[in-house]
């Protein structure tokens, strides 16, 4: 736990933040910003990310991967005109 925040970095609240950020930043077809948040051991997003991708952002294409989503986020924010 970070003493200045009183929120444990492995706690439930921290697991909800990336999903909330994603919902505020993306509305369907835009890339999911939370694709940038990866587990230090697996180097992949959490299961919650994949669940959100399918249930709320309708990522159902069999060729879709989180790496595609991550690259789309980078491309979106690399562009000089970001929404």
């Amino acid at each position: 736990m970070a003493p200045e925040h009183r929120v444990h970095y492995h706690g439930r609240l921290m697991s909800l933040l990336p999903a909330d950020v994603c919902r505020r930043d993306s509305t369907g077809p835009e890339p999911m910003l939370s694709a940038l948040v990866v587990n230090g051991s697996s180097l992949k997003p959490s299961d919650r990310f994949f669940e959100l991708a399918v249930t709320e952002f309708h990522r159902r294409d069999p060729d879709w991967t989180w790496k595609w989503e991550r690259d789309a986020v980078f491309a979106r924010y690399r562009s000089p005109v970001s929404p």
Side-chain angles (χ1 to χ4, degrees), residues 9 11-26 32-38 45-46 48-49 52 57:
Y9 60 92
R12 173 127 171 92
L13 178 63
M14 290 304 291
S15 73
L16 298 175
L17 288 174
D20 191 44
V21 165
C22 193
R23 286 183 193 106
R24 291 173 186 261
D25 181 65
S26 305
M32 298 170 61
L33 191 57
S34 59
L36 302 180
V37 180
V38 298
S46 70
R48 190 173 214 39
F49 167 80
L52 185 69
F57 289 87

Side-chain angles (χ1 to χ4, degrees), residues 3-76:
E4 65 274 14
H5 299 296
R6 296 180 181 256
V7 175
H8 194 278
Y9 60 92
H10 284 298
R12 173 127 171 92
L13 178 63
M14 290 304 291
S15 73
L16 298 175
L17 288 174
D20 191 44
V21 165
C22 193
R23 286 183 193 106
R24 291 173 186 261
D25 181 65
S26 305
T27 55
E30 291 90 1
M32 298 170 61
L33 191 57
S34 59
L36 302 180
V37 180
V38 298
N39 177 291
S41 300
S42 69
L43 301 178
K44 295 186 339 184
S46 70
D47 291 340
R48 190 173 214 39
F49 167 80
F50 294 100
E51 179 183 324
L52 185 69
V54 172
T55 60
E56 292 191 37
F57 289 87
H58 310 290
R59 303 302 197 260
R60 294 189 178 110
D61 183 328
D63 295 328
W64 178 89
T65 68
W66 74 269
K67 290 179 181 180
W68 178 91
E69 199 76 22
R70 177 202 59 200
D71 294 346
V73 170
F74 287 140
R76 177 182 181 195

